[in-house]
Amino acid sequence: MTGTFPNMMDFSGFNAPSRVECDIFDLMVVEGRIPADFHGRWYRMTPDPQYPPMLGEDTYLSGDGMISMFAFVDGRVDFRSRYVMTERLKNERKARRSLYGLYRNPYTDNAKVQGAPGRSAANTTPVFHAGRLLATKEDGRPMEIDPHTLETLGEYDFGGALRSATMTAHPRIDPETGEMFLYGAQAGGLATRDMAFAVIGRDGKLVSEQWFEGPYAGMVHDFVVTKDHIVFPFFPVIVDHARLKAGGPHWRWEAGRGTHIGIIPRGGSAKDMRWFSGPDWSFFHFMNAYSDGSQVHVDFTIADEVPFPFIREASGLQGPPNMEHAGLVRWTFDLSRNSNDGWVERRLGPPGDFPTIARANHMKDYAAGYYQIYDPAVGPPNVAGPVGVGFNTVVRVDVRTGELRPYAPGPSCTVQEHVHVPSTAAGHEGYLLFVVDYHETMSNEVHIVEAEHPERGPVARIAMPLRLRNQIHGNWVPEAELPAPAGVSRVQAAG
């Protein structure tokens, strides 16, 4: 019998572990109808610890990877969830308890697994490319998952071609060429400045991999690609090897180290890297980027300080994060200038996160994006997810005019990360699909809203008969892009 989880934010309320692997057929649509052109799978990754933390406390982000799938076919929807069977989880189940210590600090692990491979929990983003579904986390290589059964197939390294020991949870896929761009931070080993940048062809084979050193061993959680350039961000959340060996935390905010943005030509060499430097900023997720001649425009959400409570505690930062200058912004880098000092900033919207756009608009000029905010006018704060206060509003933003179109499910609700689902109807902007947390009843629904007009409310609401722990990231995969199930031809799979 396992013990109880600690009474702390990361393990209580909607953050309480679920640990449920299940199949649920024909979920109940309680309002509206699922759009006729919904035909695909929505994959979600959630940190969901099998066992209470070995050291008594831990961060939400350490949880074992749980992958779930909503399968939409002909107006019906089924749900499936399975643990990602990493070496880490196999070891835990064999011991019937957690064997791993501090977040991303192997020196604090139980002696039985000290130095053993496979420490990553594979809990951050489900990535689909070239017919393969990968469960990713930026501290290791991905785990391949069967896209139909969610069975874990094993660690994946692109046929032995990838040299990097790590892979980002935020690769970028060009919707026109089918290429996937990825990187590995701390690619050469724990706390190193090594960065590996790789290109994967449409066929899933590694085309190139080149390495460079970052300005410091910092958190590089996301990056962005345009038709002409690759953009690598560094902000001052930094790892130190001596600190890890002493049993300390992986990340610490180090004010004064500055923000550094590296830009190379797409198809060029890391030797062509152009660095731009500025004051300290915190940022995690990009909405989009595009090149216009010598100018590179990058849209993303920023904050004055790192928001994660466990990093703030490790850094000696007191109280809530400073959000004085936070917001959704566009930074423009002019590569024709001789100076590498700074960039031009334009405000696009209020503070928030989880920015996304329609897949067809990636890497080029665009009009509309979608992200999430916490609006105090909607209701009081509720804890949901690793940062603490959950977002309560999904927003469509016109990046050219600044117009906002918000949808908030209710005063006691939070919203989990949305995905964009394209429509087959001409001129239709598609849909946003996301889980809603009802804090008064500790229950969930799935809401579907029109991407162009979220303010009109859901076109469909789908009830969940169990509580869903907050996902980190998800992706939508059209059914036509999925391989046939093992032993079944695509003709048979089509009916």
Side-chain angles (χ1 to χ4, degrees):
M1 178 182 295
T2 190
T4 59
F5 285 85
N7 183 23
M8 54 186 295
M9 179 205 80
D10 300 82
F11 302 99
S12 59
F14 260 103
N15 284 353
S18 169
R19 309 195 306 159
V20 174
E21 298 179 281
C22 67
D23 296 291
I24 306 174
F25 292 89
D26 287 314
L27 294 174
M28 294 176 58
V29 180
V30 295
E31 178 183 312
R33 297 181 63 183
I34 297 172
D37 51 1
F38 254 58
H39 196 56
R41 314 286 179 92
W42 176 24
Y43 297 102
R44 308 164 64 252
M45 291 297 314
T46 303
D48 200 347
Q50 175 80 78
Y51 296 102
M54 184 182 78
L55 300 180
E57 293 186 356
D58 203 358
T59 171
Y60 190 97
L61 299 177
S62 279
D64 298 296
M66 178 76 79
I67 185 165
S68 60
M69 171 182 70
F70 287 89
F72 290 84
V73 180
D74 299 330
R76 301 187 302 272
V77 56
D78 301 331
F79 176 82
R80 173 169 289 173
S81 62
R82 295 288 188 274
Y83 269 113
V84 181
M85 293 309 300
T86 60
E87 291 303 310
R88 175 190 181 109
L89 182 54
K90 290 177 184 177
N91 292 335
E92 289 175 328
R93 285 190 171 180
K94 184 177 180 179
R96 297 281 182 156
R97 63 187 179 91
S98 174
L99 298 172
Y100 297 86
L102 293 179
Y103 175 75
R104 295 184 67 175
N105 187 341
Y107 295 105
T108 62
D109 294 345
N110 184 284
K112 293 182 179 180
V113 295
Q114 278 273 348
R119 192 181 193 274
S120 177
N123 65 13
T124 306
T125 309
V127 173
F128 186 81
H129 181 254
R132 296 182 187 272
L133 179 63
L134 306 176
T136 65
K137 184 176 176 64
E138 61 197 28
D139 64 350
R141 289 174 173 165
M143 300 294 290
E144 185 176 4
I145 306 296
D146 185 297
H148 302 284
T149 67
L150 302 187
E151 174 191 0
T152 301
L153 303 179
E155 186 179 89
Y156 190 69
D157 59 4
F158 301 91
L162 186 70
R163 293 185 294 119
S164 175
T166 64
M167 173 181 153
T168 177
H170 287 288
R172 295 287 170 169
I173 300 173
D174 189 320
E176 295 176 354
T177 68
E179 296 170 294
M180 180 166 71
F181 300 83
L182 60 88
Y183 65 91
Q186 302 180 49
L190 188 65
T192 64
R193 292 167 54 194
D194 297 324
M195 294 284 295
F197 168 60
V199 180
I200 311 298
R202 181 190 291 272
D203 59 1
K205 296 181 180 179
L206 188 141
V207 175
S208 66
E209 181 179 355
Q210 49 185 309
W211 288 44
F212 65 93
E213 282 194 342
Y216 41 64
M219 182 187 292
V220 187
H221 180 67
D222 194 3
F223 81 142
V224 72
V225 180
T226 78
K227 290 297 182 182
D228 300 312
H229 298 95
I230 318 292
V231 181
F232 299 94
F234 288 79
F235 65 102
V237 174
I238 294 172
V239 59
D240 177 77
H241 197 262
R243 184 171 72 237
L244 294 177
K245 290 192 72 173
H250 189 97
W251 295 124
R252 180 174 290 169
W253 173 266
E254 296 189 9
R257 299 293 292 270
T259 296
H260 305 276
I261 308 293
I263 302 178
I264 62 172
R266 180 164 158 176
S269 166
K271 296 178 181 179
D272 304 319
M273 185 79 71
R274 176 84 176 271
W275 290 102
F276 291 82
S277 299
D280 298 334
W281 286 105
S282 172
F283 51 91
F284 286 91
H285 299 116
F286 290 98
M287 179 172 279
N288 193 27
Y290 68 95
S291 299
D292 181 13
S294 64
Q295 293 190 327
V296 181
H297 305 285
V298 180
D299 298 351
F300 61 119
T301 55
I302 62 171
D304 302 70
E305 295 176 341
V306 64
F308 286 96
F310 76 103
I311 302 178
R312 294 183 62 78
E313 180 180 353
S315 308
L317 298 173
Q318 304 296 320
N322 180 10
M323 300 292 283
E324 183 180 358
H325 303 102
L328 177 68
V329 300
R330 171 170 294 175
W331 285 1
T332 297
F333 302 87
D334 190 346
L335 301 179
S336 68
R337 295 175 61 236
N338 291 326
S339 172
N340 291 343
D341 292 334
W343 43 82
V344 175
E345 179 179 295
R346 180 166 73 87
R347 290 278 160 158
L348 303 178
D353 202 6
F354 295 142
T356 189
I357 60 171
R359 182 168 70 167
N361 293 333
H362 277 273
M363 305 183 182
K364 55 189 180 183
D365 194 4
Y366 70 113
Y370 322 97
Y371 73 119
Q372 298 184 356
I373 66 173
Y374 169 67
D375 183 352
V378 170
N382 289 290
V383 172
V387 174
V389 175
F391 297 117
N392 61 11
T393 304
V394 178
V395 174
R396 178 194 188 271
V397 57
D398 187 315
V399 298
R400 296 171 180 169
T401 68
E403 179 196 20
L404 299 177
R405 297 177 184 173
Y407 166 61
S412 63
C413 297
T414 51
V415 289
Q416 300 188 25
E417 185 205 45
H418 55 275
V419 292
H420 180 271
V421 180
S423 172
T424 58
H428 197 288
E429 201 169 293
Y431 303 90
L432 302 179
L433 173 64
F434 51 94
V435 171
V436 174
D437 307 323
Y438 288 88
H439 287 259
E440 290 183 348
T441 58
M442 293 299 293
S443 61
N444 293 107
E445 288 183 347
V446 173
H447 286 198
I448 303 171
V449 300
E450 289 190 331
E452 187 173 6
H453 291 288
E455 77 281 4
R456 294 177 180 174
V459 298
R461 292 170 43 224
I462 303 163
M464 287 301 300
L466 77 165
R467 177 182 58 83
L468 297 177
R469 200 173 198 239
N470 272 57
Q471 72 178 64
I472 301 297
H473 297 299
N475 270 306
W476 172 265
V477 180
E479 196 73 19
E481 296 182 12
L482 290 166
V488 179
S489 71
R490 180 161 289 284
V491 173
Q492 290 173 314

